[in-house]
Amino acid sequence: MRVAIAGAGLAGLACAKYLVDAGHTPIVLERRDVLGGLVAAWKDEDGDWYETGLHVFFGAYPNMLQLFKELDIEDRLQWKEHTLIFNQPEKPGTLSRFDVPDIPAPFNVIASILKNNDMLTWEQKIKFALGLTPAMLRGQQYVEDMDKYSLLEWLRKQGIDDRVNSDIFIAASKALTFIDPDEVSATIPLTALNRFLKERYGSKVAFLDGSPTERLCQPMVDYITEKGGEVRLNAPLKEIVLNEDGTVKEYLLRGLNGASDEVLTADIYVSAMSVDPLKVMLPKPWREQEFFSKLDGLEGVEVINIHLWFDRKLTDIDQLLFSRSELLSVYADMSNTCREYADPNKSMLELVLAPAKKWISKSDEEILAATMKELEKLFPDDFTGDNQATLLKSKVVKTPRSVYRAIPGRQAYRPTQKTPISNFYLAGSYTMQEFLGSMEGAVLSGKLAAQAISQDYSVIQEQTKETITA
Ligand SMILES: Cc1cc2nc3c(=O)[nH]c(=O)nc-3n(C[C@H](O)[C@H](O)[C@H](O)COP(=O)(O)OP(=O)(O)OC[C@H]3O[C@@H](n4cnc5c(N)ncnc54)[C@H](O)[C@@H]3O)c2cc1C
């Protein structure tokens, strides 16, 4: 079966990968000249990579890890020590670690919290543990029900000290969703925490050994094309053209550089675009259907990724760090964490600026100046006094609409991969799957879309066989 998929982010590529595995022929259409969507990366004039986002993989990403295995590229994941490292704003330049011992879950995570005495008092730890008990005992249904509360409301309801919020949850919430605990749905961090508490290596982190575009997306494209599929860059979907019965007749692709528009027909059509462009493109008759009108409740959140190259080494830490800064979220010295970006003498910091609402329209210079100011707190020895590190170059990548804004109540708006239109399916990390707006969520959504298509196809085949026999 020919399946046209709009969008070559991880969801679209995963959908195509699992469709070729099932014997179908996907044609992936990407509007930009680069693979990967939110994991896209580019090389600058010196051959250095810069990316849409600083990305890490967790041990609790079963579908992503399975995909690496199936593509035979598992050795590209660089697993780090099992620890979470936080900056301590009140003591500039110092770090606090949650070292997770190699013992079964949940005792490993509990031990890491009990051993850390920099960030929480014993009273706070006990209240924190008691507050989390319902989430652990009552499982995912309880976690889903908590979507009506913001994380901050939920913490207060559970009697958990505001200090736990400011010490841990602001950092976690910004890292997971790019928004603060007073905005984020309680379901999001509780889902992540539940997984970390269930799986021995769930919170263990890996970095890719190079750019996601080259080291993850390209092998997916190679796999898809070797098995008869196709991936086309510079192929923007312009319009979803309908038949009279409301099913998809064809995809109309915008002709670039003066070329005329192109009609592409297939047996099945998939949108693996993010939710914002999909909403703009929905055909009018579909908008009246509740399934599609609900998408209005979802929209992408702003985030900014900053790259700073320095003339010397600022740190030898080979791990993701939680900055606990008001301006920044997580960061890493990619010259230590990523094989292809490695440099023994110079640092390349990649830092995520979030929440980015008030920064997204500011100039790169303003963003850079504010970030450099924060570095005085993260690396006081290198950015105050004599003999300061010199910034060699920088790159700021702004994404005004990234993953869906995970505020309370959004779970009800997330659509299934199967739609009411018989030949149209959805993939994308915003669609309903258990892994939220993440790389794992994107891959799982693509897999679920491919499964739904294959299942529906086998039902049609059965029906055709029965009609012929009758
Ligand atoms: C700064 C940042 C840091 C992140 N960090 C992490 C992390 O550490 N770990 C993690 O798991 N996740 C992280 N994420 C989230 C993760 O990147 C996303 O959840 C995931 O990549 C989304 O994939 P997707 O395929 O669903 O959507 P997208 O990547 O948005 O893909 C959609 C694709 O559709 C294309 N498209 C849009 N319109 C059209 C059209 N008209 N025609 C054709 N194509 C079109 C787009 O160009 C894009 O390629 C991060 C994201 C950002 C931005």
Side-chain angles (χ1 to χ4, degrees):
M1 215 170 29
R2 234 171 103 82
V3 185
I5 304 171
L10 288 174
L13 292 174
C15 182
K17 192 265 173 203
Y18 290 104
L19 283 171
V20 290
D21 283 348
H24 302 299
T25 311
I27 303 112
V28 184
L29 308 157
E30 168 55 46
R31 79 170 156 191
R32 300 198 294 177
D33 60 0
V34 60
L35 294 167
L38 292 179
V39 302
W42 303 264
K43 261 188 179 172
D44 73 3
E45 50 289 355
D46 306 318
D48 292 321
W49 285 98
Y50 60 100
E51 313 181 323
T52 313
L54 167 60
H55 279 87
V56 296
F57 300 76
F58 285 101
Y61 275 6
N63 296 284
M64 181 59 99
L65 300 188
Q66 176 69 24
L67 177 66
F68 271 85
K69 205 183 242 173
E70 289 165 358
L71 296 171
D72 200 17
I73 55 167
E74 278 169 295
D75 58 339
R76 297 185 183 183
L77 282 174
Q78 297 184 254
W79 290 100
K80 307 299 174 190
E81 219 182 316
H82 201 173
T83 186
L84 298 175
I85 310 181
F86 291 75
N87 274 96
Q88 303 203 76
E90 62 289 356
K91 294 185 218 153
T94 61
L95 301 169
S96 176
R97 296 170 67 107
F98 288 79
D99 292 318
V100 186
D102 195 7
I103 55 172
F107 307 106
N108 57 350
V109 175
I110 294 169
S112 77
I113 296 172
L114 295 183
K115 271 194 305 182
N116 180 296
N117 292 320
D118 309 318
M119 287 172 61
L120 300 175
T121 65
W122 276 98
E123 194 193 340
Q124 284 159 348
K125 283 179 193 175
I126 291 163
K127 279 201 187 148
F128 180 28
L130 289 177
L132 281 177
T133 318
M136 284 194 279
L137 295 183
R138 286 159 62 191
Q140 195 57 27
Q141 189 51 53
Y142 171 84
V143 169
E144 292 291 329
D145 292 345
M146 295 306 106
D147 192 38
K148 52 181 175 283
Y149 300 114
S150 72
L151 174 61
L152 192 58
E153 284 168 345
W154 182 84
L155 288 169
R156 289 189 176 149
K157 208 169 84 62
Q158 296 305 110
I160 299 175
D161 206 303
D162 267 13
R163 175 86 200 276
V164 178
N165 174 43
S166 58
D167 278 6
I168 293 177
F169 278 110
I170 295 181
S173 161
K174 277 161 59 122
L176 288 168
T177 60
F178 315 134
I179 52 181
D180 277 324
D182 57 346
E183 248 206 297
V184 72
S185 154
T187 296
I188 309 298
L190 288 178
T191 302
L193 247 171
N194 249 1
R195 294 216 161 259
F196 293 167
L197 286 166
K198 274 195 197 120
E199 292 172 39
R200 185 169 182 153
Y201 302 114
S203 53
K204 207 167 151 86
V205 158
F207 281 68
L208 197 58
D209 65 354
S211 88
T213 304
E214 212 175 61
R215 303 295 286 170
L216 173 57
C217 298
Q218 190 56 47
M220 292 172 86
V221 172
D222 295 342
Y223 185 101
I224 294 161
T225 47
E226 268 162 33
K227 293 199 168 196
E230 206 186 317
V231 180
R232 288 172 57 183
L233 296 178
N234 299 310
L237 177 61
K238 180 182 172 188
E239 191 185 338
I240 303 172
V241 183
L242 300 190
N243 290 307
E244 266 182 27
D245 65 359
T247 58
V248 182
K249 181 176 176 221
E250 60 204 25
Y251 269 180
L252 186 64
L253 308 186
R254 186 183 303 283
L256 298 179
N257 306 321
S260 46
D261 292 350
E262 176 190 339
V263 168
L264 191 125
T265 51
D267 302 299
I268 297 286
Y269 299 84
V270 178
S271 163
M273 301 181 285
S274 40
V275 69
D276 302 285
L278 170 64
K279 283 193 298 189
V280 176
M281 204 159 296
L282 281 177
K284 214 160 161 239
W286 290 3
R287 290 178 198 211
E288 285 146 27
Q289 300 188 26
E290 199 201 342
F291 180 91
F292 293 106
S293 65
K294 273 199 317 191
L295 295 178
D296 285 336
L298 300 171
E299 63 169 12
V301 63
E302 313 80 3
V303 67
I304 300 174
N305 205 44
I306 301 159
H307 310 71
L308 305 174
W309 284 264
F310 291 100
D311 66 338
R312 69 179 188 218
K313 223 49 189 168
L314 303 178
T315 173
D316 56 6
I317 294 176
D318 178 12
Q319 184 49 290
L320 183 76
L321 289 113
F322 293 80
S323 73
R324 292 181 63 215
S325 126
E326 200 180 313
L327 181 78
L328 303 169
S329 171
V330 285
Y331 68 101
D333 187 336
M334 300 295 281
S335 73
N336 302 329
T337 56
C338 172
R339 208 170 290 142
E340 204 180 326
Y341 304 177
D343 191 321
N345 305 315
K346 294 178 189 149
S347 278
M348 190 280 247
L349 296 185
E350 212 171 307
L351 312 105
V352 179
L353 190 160
K357 200 174 198 160
K358 66 174 192 222
W359 288 95
I360 202 81
S361 52
K362 300 213 174 177
S363 68
D364 288 2
E365 290 69 31
E366 284 173 289
I367 292 167
L368 205 57
T371 307
M372 292 302 292
K373 195 102 198 84
E374 283 303 303
L375 291 193
E376 290 175 16
K377 292 178 217 151
L378 302 181
F379 302 98
D381 293 347
D382 297 285
F383 295 103
T384 52
D386 301 333
N387 190 25
Q388 295 192 18
T390 305
L391 180 66
L392 300 176
K393 64 175 177 177
S394 63
K395 206 87 187 176
V396 175
V397 181
K398 296 181 190 171
T399 305
R401 296 197 180 233
S402 68
V403 294
Y404 76 95
R405 189 185 298 273
I407 54 178
R410 293 313 96 176
Q411 292 294 78
Y413 294 110
R414 296 175 67 200
T416 51
Q417 290 74 34
K418 191 171 160 64
T419 78
I421 308 299
S422 63
N423 65 349
F424 183 72
Y425 296 77
L426 298 176
S429 68
Y430 72 92
T431 62
M432 200 39 141
Q433 38 72 26
E434 55 195 311
F435 287 92
L436 320 165
S438 64
M439 294 187 286
E440 168 70 8
V443 167
L444 176 56
S445 75
K447 197 184 221 174
L448 291 173
Q451 275 167 6
I453 292 168
S454 294
Q455 263 159 22
D456 291 351
Y457 176 69
S458 49
V459 171
I460 294 168
Q461 267 190 325
E462 275 307 308
Q463 284 167 347
T464 319
K465 253 193 244 160
E466 277 165 25
T467 321
I468 293 168
T469 334

